[in-house]
């Protein structure tokens, strides 16, 4: 059982359930944590990630915005928000301008040293039609991914870079 009044306990259980694929249970636990602590950024972020996996993008965006609002110095929510706003399969939720702002913030918070964040920034730049900038940023992300031995990430970045070179923005 979970300590009923401890938000972090509900987030921990929700994370375990999410990893196990029990998304409904995970959502319940993250929502319970937010009932107890409405400004808990970890709960907002984790809930958003599970909602996104379920295709519940509008709800995911709102929780990511809350996580960013409650933890403005934490790069992860800003990065996830930028990715979703730049690449969302639901056209009505894409917002290249907000994606760029969020991606730029995440890149600043990580001192441009995180290949995942730079990959997101490139996707946001491409979504805004800034393909030259997207190619440059994607190449920086690719170099960092290669240097860190992140082969799968490097392959994904190469795939997106090829799209940007053809003037095509990436959509999930």
């Amino acid at each position: 059982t979970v300590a009923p009044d401890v938000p972090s306990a509900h987030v921990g259980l929700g994370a375990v359930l999410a990893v196990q694929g029990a998304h409904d249970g995970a959502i319940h636990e993250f929502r319970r944590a937010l009932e107890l602590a409405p400004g808990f950024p970890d709960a907002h972020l984790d809930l958003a990630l599970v909602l996104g996996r379920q295709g519940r993008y509008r709800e995911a965006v709102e929780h990511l915005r809350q996580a960013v609002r409650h933890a403005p110095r934490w790069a992860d929510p800003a990065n996830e928000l930028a990715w979703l706003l730049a690449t969302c399969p639901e056209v009505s939720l894409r917002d290249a301008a907000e994606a760029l702002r969020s991606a730029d913030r995440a890149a600043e918070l990580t001192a441009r040293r995180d290949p995942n964040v730079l990959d997101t920034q490139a996707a946001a730049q491409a979504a805004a039609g800034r393909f030259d900038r997207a190619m440059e940023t994607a190449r920086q992300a690719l170099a960092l991914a290669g240097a860190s031995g992140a082969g799968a990430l490097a392959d994904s970045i190469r795939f997106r870079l090829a799209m940007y070179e053809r003037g095509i923005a990436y959509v999930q």
Side-chain angles (χ1 to χ4, degrees):
T1 64
V2 172
D5 296 329
V6 180
S8 60
H10 289 282
V11 169
L13 178 56
V16 169
L17 292 169
V19 168
Q20 294 174 342
H23 294 151
D24 290 341
I27 288 169
H28 172 78
E29 293 301 326
F30 297 139
R31 289 194 193 284
R32 180 67 184 127
L34 289 170
E35 287 172 11
L36 296 168
F40 193 6
D42 300 67
H44 282 292
L45 175 60
D46 290 348
L47 177 56
L49 295 175
V50 173
L51 291 169
R53 281 188 221 118
Q54 290 190 325
R56 296 163 64 179
Y57 303 115
R58 188 168 305 282
E59 289 175 86
V61 165
E62 290 311 313
H63 283 285
L64 288 169
R65 285 179 177 140
Q66 288 297 317
V68 168
R69 188 169 72 94
H70 291 292
R73 307 244 354 115
W74 187 19
D76 292 353
N79 188 60
E80 293 293 340
L81 178 61
W83 181 261
L84 189 54
L85 293 173
T87 69
C88 188
E90 284 186 32
V91 177
S92 66
L93 292 178
R94 281 189 229 144
D95 184 334
E98 185 180 353
L100 271 173
R101 286 191 301 275
S102 195
D104 290 349
R105 180 69 178 142
E108 175 188 320
L109 289 168
T110 59
R112 301 189 57 75
R113 292 190 180 120
D114 184 323
N116 286 297
V117 170
L118 293 182
D119 183 31
T120 297
Q121 189 178 38
Q125 291 163 337
R130 300 178 183 172
F131 291 102
D132 288 342
R133 194 77 185 103
M135 289 184 288
E136 179 183 328
T137 303
R139 288 184 186 109
Q140 292 169 357
L142 186 57
L144 288 171
S148 68
L153 176 60
D155 291 343
S156 296
I157 294 169
R158 271 190 213 92
F159 172 78
R160 285 186 279 279
L161 175 57
M163 293 180 70
Y164 308 151
E165 289 169 342
R166 295 190 317 265
I168 301 168
Y170 176 77
V171 175
Q172 295 184 64

PDB file of all heavy atoms in Angstrom, residues 60-74:
ATOM      1  N   ALA A  60      -1.988  16.139 -21.969  1.00  0.00           N
ATOM      2  CA  ALA A  60      -0.543  16.067 -21.754  1.00  0.00           C
ATOM      3  C   ALA A  60       0.085  17.456 -21.841  1.00  0.00           C
ATOM      4  O   ALA A  60       0.911  17.826 -20.992  1.00  0.00           O
ATOM      5  CB  ALA A  60       0.099  15.123 -22.769  1.00  0.00           C
ATOM      6  N   VAL A  61      -0.311  18.231 -22.845  1.00  0.00           N
ATOM      7  CA  VAL A  61       0.233  19.586 -22.996  1.00  0.00           C
ATOM      8  C   VAL A  61      -0.073  20.427 -21.764  1.00  0.00           C
ATOM      9  O   VAL A  61       0.803  21.141 -21.252  1.00  0.00           O
ATOM     10  CB  VAL A  61      -0.314  20.261 -24.281  1.00  0.00           C
ATOM     11  CG1 VAL A  61      -0.057  21.765 -24.272  1.00  0.00           C
ATOM     12  CG2 VAL A  61       0.309  19.628 -25.519  1.00  0.00           C
ATOM     13  N   GLU A  62      -1.297  20.337 -21.257  1.00  0.00           N
ATOM     14  CA  GLU A  62      -1.661  21.140 -20.087  1.00  0.00           C
ATOM     15  C   GLU A  62      -0.832  20.758 -18.861  1.00  0.00           C
ATOM     16  O   GLU A  62      -0.391  21.636 -18.105  1.00  0.00           O
ATOM     17  CB  GLU A  62      -3.158  21.029 -19.799  1.00  0.00           C
ATOM     18  CG  GLU A  62      -4.012  21.718 -20.848  1.00  0.00           C
ATOM     19  CD  GLU A  62      -3.555  23.140 -21.174  1.00  0.00           C
ATOM     20  OE1 GLU A  62      -3.294  23.923 -20.237  1.00  0.00           O
ATOM     21  OE2 GLU A  62      -3.440  23.465 -22.367  1.00  0.00           O
ATOM     22  N   HIS A  63      -0.600  19.473 -18.672  1.00  0.00           N
ATOM     23  CA  HIS A  63       0.207  19.060 -17.516  1.00  0.00           C
ATOM     24  C   HIS A  63       1.679  19.431 -17.708  1.00  0.00           C
ATOM     25  O   HIS A  63       2.364  19.780 -16.734  1.00  0.00           O
ATOM     26  CB  HIS A  63       0.017  17.573 -17.221  1.00  0.00           C
ATOM     27  CG  HIS A  63      -1.281  17.299 -16.539  1.00  0.00           C
ATOM     28  ND1 HIS A  63      -1.488  17.597 -15.200  1.00  0.00           N
ATOM     29  CD2 HIS A  63      -2.451  16.820 -17.008  1.00  0.00           C
ATOM     30  CE1 HIS A  63      -2.727  17.290 -14.878  1.00  0.00           C
ATOM     31  NE2 HIS A  63      -3.344  16.826 -15.952  1.00  0.00           N
ATOM     32  N   LEU A  64       2.160  19.388 -18.931  1.00  0.00           N
ATOM     33  CA  LEU A  64       3.537  19.822 -19.174  1.00  0.00           C
ATOM     34  C   LEU A  64       3.676  21.315 -18.893  1.00  0.00           C
ATOM     35  O   LEU A  64       4.678  21.744 -18.293  1.00  0.00           O
ATOM     36  CB  LEU A  64       3.961  19.492 -20.608  1.00  0.00           C
ATOM     37  CG  LEU A  64       4.186  18.004 -20.864  1.00  0.00           C
ATOM     38  CD1 LEU A  64       4.334  17.739 -22.354  1.00  0.00           C
ATOM     39  CD2 LEU A  64       5.408  17.504 -20.101  1.00  0.00           C
ATOM     40  N   ARG A  65       2.692  22.084 -19.307  1.00  0.00           N
ATOM     41  CA  ARG A  65       2.740  23.526 -19.004  1.00  0.00           C
ATOM     42  C   ARG A  65       2.755  23.761 -17.496  1.00  0.00           C
ATOM     43  O   ARG A  65       3.451  24.658 -17.007  1.00  0.00           O
ATOM     44  CB  ARG A  65       1.559  24.242 -19.648  1.00  0.00           C
ATOM     45  CG  ARG A  65       1.713  24.410 -21.146  1.00  0.00           C
ATOM     46  CD  ARG A  65       0.518  25.107 -21.752  1.00  0.00           C
ATOM     47  NE  ARG A  65       0.716  25.330 -23.176  1.00  0.00           N
ATOM     48  CZ  ARG A  65      -0.238  25.192 -24.087  1.00  0.00           C
ATOM     49  NH1 ARG A  65      -1.472  24.855 -23.721  1.00  0.00           N
ATOM     50  NH2 ARG A  65       0.026  25.402 -25.359  1.00  0.00           N
ATOM     51  N   GLN A  66       1.988  22.981 -16.748  1.00  0.00           N
ATOM     52  CA  GLN A  66       1.980  23.116 -15.294  1.00  0.00           C
ATOM     53  C   GLN A  66       3.348  22.744 -14.706  1.00  0.00           C
ATOM     54  O   GLN A  66       3.841  23.422 -13.803  1.00  0.00           O
ATOM     55  CB  GLN A  66       0.884  22.239 -14.672  1.00  0.00           C
ATOM     56  CG  GLN A  66      -0.511  22.748 -14.905  1.00  0.00           C
ATOM     57  CD  GLN A  66      -0.731  24.099 -14.248  1.00  0.00           C
ATOM     58  OE1 GLN A  66      -0.332  24.347 -13.107  1.00  0.00           O
ATOM     59  NE2 GLN A  66      -1.360  25.006 -14.979  1.00  0.00           N
ATOM     60  N   ALA A  67       3.943  21.674 -15.214  1.00  0.00           N
ATOM     61  CA  ALA A  67       5.267  21.270 -14.719  1.00  0.00           C
ATOM     62  C   ALA A  67       6.293  22.363 -14.975  1.00  0.00           C
ATOM     63  O   ALA A  67       7.101  22.687 -14.096  1.00  0.00           O
ATOM     64  CB  ALA A  67       5.697  19.955 -15.373  1.00  0.00           C
ATOM     65  N   VAL A  68       6.240  22.964 -16.156  1.00  0.00           N
ATOM     66  CA  VAL A  68       7.166  24.052 -16.489  1.00  0.00           C
ATOM     67  C   VAL A  68       6.916  25.245 -15.573  1.00  0.00           C
ATOM     68  O   VAL A  68       7.857  25.860 -15.066  1.00  0.00           O
ATOM     69  CB  VAL A  68       7.026  24.461 -17.978  1.00  0.00           C
ATOM     70  CG1 VAL A  68       7.744  25.771 -18.264  1.00  0.00           C
ATOM     71  CG2 VAL A  68       7.545  23.344 -18.883  1.00  0.00           C
ATOM     72  N   ARG A  69       5.652  25.559 -15.336  1.00  0.00           N
ATOM     73  CA  ARG A  69       5.306  26.702 -14.485  1.00  0.00           C
ATOM     74  C   ARG A  69       5.811  26.492 -13.056  1.00  0.00           C
ATOM     75  O   ARG A  69       6.331  27.412 -12.426  1.00  0.00           O
ATOM     76  CB  ARG A  69       3.791  26.908 -14.481  1.00  0.00           C
ATOM     77  CG  ARG A  69       3.359  28.181 -13.790  1.00  0.00           C
ATOM     78  CD  ARG A  69       1.886  28.459 -14.044  1.00  0.00           C
ATOM     79  NE  ARG A  69       1.041  27.523 -13.320  1.00  0.00           N
ATOM     80  CZ  ARG A  69       0.521  27.757 -12.120  1.00  0.00           C
ATOM     81  NH1 ARG A  69       0.755  28.882 -11.508  1.00  0.00           N
ATOM     82  NH2 ARG A  69      -0.235  26.862 -11.526  1.00  0.00           N
ATOM     83  N   HIS A  70       5.692  25.261 -12.558  1.00  0.00           N
ATOM     84  CA  HIS A  70       6.071  24.987 -11.168  1.00  0.00           C
ATOM     85  C   HIS A  70       7.561  24.666 -10.999  1.00  0.00           C
ATOM     86  O   HIS A  70       8.053  24.670  -9.872  1.00  0.00           O
ATOM     87  CB  HIS A  70       5.226  23.858 -10.594  1.00  0.00           C
ATOM     88  CG  HIS A  70       3.794  24.237 -10.406  1.00  0.00           C
ATOM     89  ND1 HIS A  70       3.376  25.166  -9.472  1.00  0.00           N
ATOM     90  CD2 HIS A  70       2.680  23.830 -11.059  1.00  0.00           C
ATOM     91  CE1 HIS A  70       2.063  25.305  -9.553  1.00  0.00           C
ATOM     92  NE2 HIS A  70       1.615  24.519 -10.506  1.00  0.00           N
ATOM     93  N   ALA A  71       8.246  24.369 -12.095  1.00  0.00           N
ATOM     94  CA  ALA A  71       9.687  24.064 -12.022  1.00  0.00           C
ATOM     95  C   ALA A  71      10.402  24.712 -13.212  1.00  0.00           C
ATOM     96  O   ALA A  71      10.889  24.028 -14.116  1.00  0.00           O
ATOM     97  CB  ALA A  71       9.906  22.554 -12.007  1.00  0.00           C
ATOM     98  N   PRO A  72      10.473  26.035 -13.240  1.00  0.00           N
ATOM     99  CA  PRO A  72      11.033  26.733 -14.402  1.00  0.00           C
ATOM    100  C   PRO A  72      12.523  26.487 -14.646  1.00  0.00           C
ATOM    101  O   PRO A  72      13.007  26.749 -15.740  1.00  0.00           O
ATOM    102  CB  PRO A  72      10.759  28.210 -14.090  1.00  0.00           C
ATOM    103  CG  PRO A  72      10.616  28.275 -12.612  1.00  0.00           C
ATOM    104  CD  PRO A  72      10.027  26.951 -12.198  1.00  0.00           C
ATOM    105  N   ARG A  73      13.227  25.941 -13.669  1.00  0.00           N
ATOM    106  CA  ARG A  73      14.666  25.677 -13.852  1.00  0.00           C
ATOM    107  C   ARG A  73      14.943  24.204 -14.154  1.00  0.00           C
ATOM    108  O   ARG A  73      16.090  23.773 -14.154  1.00  0.00           O
ATOM    109  CB  ARG A  73      15.443  26.121 -12.610  1.00  0.00           C
ATOM    110  CG  ARG A  73      15.141  27.545 -12.228  1.00  0.00           C
ATOM    111  CD  ARG A  73      16.229  28.579 -12.284  1.00  0.00           C
ATOM    112  NE  ARG A  73      17.563  28.188 -12.567  1.00  0.00           N
ATOM    113  CZ  ARG A  73      18.225  28.560 -13.681  1.00  0.00           C
ATOM    114  NH1 ARG A  73      17.654  29.310 -14.585  1.00  0.00           N
ATOM    115  NH2 ARG A  73      19.464  28.183 -13.859  1.00  0.00           N
ATOM    116  N   TRP A  74      13.904  23.422 -14.392  1.00  0.00           N
ATOM    117  CA  TRP A  74      14.040  21.996 -14.696  1.00  0.00           C
ATOM    118  C   TRP A  74      13.852  21.809 -16.195  1.00  0.00           C
ATOM    119  O   TRP A  74      12.788  22.104 -16.749  1.00  0.00           O
ATOM    120  CB  TRP A  74      12.999  21.220 -13.898  1.00  0.00           C
ATOM    121  CG  TRP A  74      13.095  19.728 -13.968  1.00  0.00           C
ATOM    122  CD1 TRP A  74      14.175  18.971 -14.342  1.00  0.00           C
ATOM    123  CD2 TRP A  74      12.066  18.791 -13.635  1.00  0.00           C
ATOM    124  NE1 TRP A  74      13.875  17.642 -14.264  1.00  0.00           N
ATOM    125  CE2 TRP A  74      12.589  17.505 -13.833  1.00  0.00           C
ATOM    126  CE3 TRP A  74      10.746  18.936 -13.191  1.00  0.00           C
ATOM    127  CZ2 TRP A  74      11.844  16.352 -13.606  1.00  0.00           C
ATOM    128  CZ3 TRP A  74      10.009  17.799 -12.956  1.00  0.00           C
ATOM    129  CH2 TRP A  74      10.557  16.522 -13.163  1.00  0.00           C
TER     130      TRP A  74
END
